[in-house]
């Protein structure tokens, strides 16, 4: 039987987890997430720090609210993440914070070096072969996952 084809029920009417597409997506997300966490730990960064570095490299001066959306945390959680990144030298303040105004930050040379090492490792983890897929399968899967994400988020 093709995975996901029966809507989750087997011939006897019981739940067959192998046919639950959403459940397979959860399990796959967990397995991929574990790989990312190991990769980030090997490079001394967190998933949130990596996300901040990527976004700031593409869009210097981006708002803390946009950073929060990018790294999937609440806006209140961004401040402590940025302070820790500043403490370890991955970024620096470029404007002092004032009450009611976000602190503007930029990537330091150390942050850029970190991104230059971690970025290719992330790309390697995302290669179709690393996922057990062909290039066409990876493209199709990516398109379908974006469609599911947009549907569930909309």
């Amino acid at each position: 039987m093709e995975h996901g084809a029966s809507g989750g029920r087997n011939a006897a009417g019981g739940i067959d987890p192998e046919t639950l597409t959403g459940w397979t997506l959860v399990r796959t997300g967990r397995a991929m997430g574990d790989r990312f966490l190991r990769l980030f730990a090997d490079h001394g960064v967190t998933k949130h720090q990596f996300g901040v570095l990527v976004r700031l490299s593409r869009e210097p001066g981006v708002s803390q609210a946009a950073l929060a959306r990018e790294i999937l945390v609440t806006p209140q959680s961004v401040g402590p993440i940025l302070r820790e990144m500043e403490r370890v030298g991955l970024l620096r303040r470029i404007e002092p914070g004032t009450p009611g105004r976000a602190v503007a930050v930029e990537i330091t040379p150390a942050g850029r070096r970190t991104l230059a090492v971690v970025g290719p490792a992330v790309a390697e983890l995302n290669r179709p072969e690393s996922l057990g897929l062909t290039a066409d399968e990876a493209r199709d899967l990516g398109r379908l996952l974006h469609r599911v994400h947009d549907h569930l988020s909309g």
Side-chain angles (χ1 to χ4, degrees):
M1 175 184 296
E2 187 174 316
H3 294 297
S6 71
R9 298 248 176 227
N10 61 23
I15 298 294
D16 182 358
E18 292 299 315
T19 64
L20 297 171
T21 302
W23 181 242
T24 300
L25 186 58
V26 168
R27 292 174 58 219
T28 304
R30 176 65 185 260
M32 194 71 195
D34 289 347
R35 284 183 172 199
F36 273 107
L37 290 177
R38 282 191 303 276
L39 181 148
F40 294 139
D42 289 347
H43 290 90
V45 295
T46 68
K47 63 184 179 182
H48 296 128
Q49 290 171 342
F50 175 75
V52 167
L53 290 173
V54 168
R55 183 64 185 262
L56 285 174
S57 73
R58 289 188 325 221
E59 190 178 345
V62 67
S63 73
Q64 288 188 22
L67 284 173
R69 285 189 297 276
E70 179 82 13
I71 64 172
L72 306 175
V73 299
T74 65
Q76 298 82 2
S77 299
V78 173
I81 293 167
L82 296 180
R83 283 191 294 279
E84 175 61 15
M85 291 178 74
E86 182 180 26
R87 187 187 72 72
V88 300
L90 297 174
L91 55 80
R92 67 174 158 252
R93 295 171 194 257
I94 55 176
E95 290 179 17
T98 57
R101 189 155 187 268
V103 175
V105 295
E106 67 182 1
I107 299 175
T108 62
R112 290 199 185 282
R113 286 190 300 274
T114 297
L115 192 54
V117 171
V118 179
V122 168
E124 176 64 28
L125 193 61
N126 280 277
R127 280 185 39 250
E129 299 81 10
S130 296
L131 300 171
L133 301 171
T134 67
D136 287 342
E137 289 169 336
R139 188 174 34 260
D140 290 345
L141 179 60
R143 182 182 50 76
L144 291 169
L145 289 173
H146 281 287
R147 190 162 91 195
V148 170
H149 178 268
D150 292 348
H151 175 78
L152 295 176
S153 300

